[in-house]
Amino acid sequence: MHLRTVFAHPRAFLVRTVGFAFVWVVLVGPDPASWTIGGPFVVAATLASLRLSEPRDRKLSLIRLAGFVPYFLRESLRGGLDVAARVLVPRLRVQPGNQEYSVRLKSPEARLIFIDSISLLPGTLSADLLGDRLTVHALDVRTDVEGDLIALERRIAAVFGESLEPSPDTAKAHRSPAPPEART
């Protein structure tokens, strides 16, 4: 291991050490005796992570991330209730299909959080990503999935300090109903 990586990125070393220590406490518990084994493993994991993945300059805002949490929880609850209602009340609209969406986020971390967070929106699931084109499966393509995607992308852009370029493709999302055999 190269210690120059540790000295060149002391903040990354500290953040990763705290993160791996947190994982250790979650897995093993807060028993102080466990740190005779856990301490060296936390340090080894930190050094390995610094060696394998050089720290990058990130613009993650912890304040905006804290502001994202209530939105995330609210939308998760809304999405869960929507799907439950569609299952329990059969007369609710269901017209499954796919929608195409142009992702405007640039950083890989922001894109990953965006794609993973889509499933919290009511009746949606990210299905495929090719370049900047994201395919989103929706339980009902007649709902405003695009508006929810735009709002989610804006919030994640704010967390990562990104500005979103207007995209003509975003304003005209392509919707395609699912084939009849997929509507079961």
Side-chain angles (χ1 to χ4, degrees):
M1 297 289 150
H2 295 283
L3 289 180
R4 95 181 120 101
T5 304
V6 173
F7 295 120
H9 304 286
R11 182 172 182 240
F13 178 78
L14 179 64
V15 169
R16 291 181 188 194
T17 301
V18 169
F20 286 124
F22 178 74
V23 169
W24 181 262
V25 170
V26 167
L27 292 175
V28 177
D31 182 16
S34 73
W35 285 102
T36 55
I37 295 172
F41 276 102
V42 165
V43 171
T46 302
L47 292 174
S49 77
L50 287 169
R51 177 84 168 141
L52 295 172
S53 175
E54 284 282 327
R56 291 181 290 217
D57 208 13
R58 293 189 175 103
K59 296 178 181 178
L60 178 68
S61 168
L62 294 179
I63 293 170
R64 290 189 178 126
L65 179 62
F68 181 74
V69 170
Y71 169 80
F72 181 86
L73 294 174
R74 183 183 74 238
E75 292 301 308
S76 295
L77 180 63
R78 190 172 77 111
L81 290 173
D82 178 73
V83 171
R86 289 177 192 275
V87 170
L88 297 173
V89 183
R91 70 179 186 275
L92 287 177
R93 304 182 322 172
V94 176
Q95 185 177 348
N98 295 323
Q99 290 187 346
E100 299 291 322
Y101 183 80
S102 292
V103 179
R104 298 172 290 159
L105 294 164
K106 297 301 176 205
S107 78
E109 295 87 1
R111 291 169 71 100
L112 179 65
I113 298 297
F114 173 66
I115 291 166
D116 287 346
S117 297
I118 287 173
S119 61
L120 71 92
L121 300 173
T124 59
L125 177 69
S126 55
D128 194 19
L129 178 67
L130 293 171
D132 291 338
R133 300 296 299 169
L134 176 67
T135 302
V136 177
H137 179 74
L139 285 178
D140 192 343
V141 293
R142 298 170 294 187
T143 60
D144 187 23
V145 173
E146 181 185 347
D148 287 342
L149 293 173
I150 291 170
L152 176 62
E153 188 175 31
R154 283 183 184 150
R155 287 185 179 266
I156 291 174
V159 169
F160 285 89
E162 289 191 26
S163 60
L164 297 177
E165 304 273 332
S167 172
D169 292 341
T170 303
K172 299 174 184 168
H174 173 69
R175 300 173 187 205
S176 62
E181 64 272 7
R183 294 182 192 172
T184 56

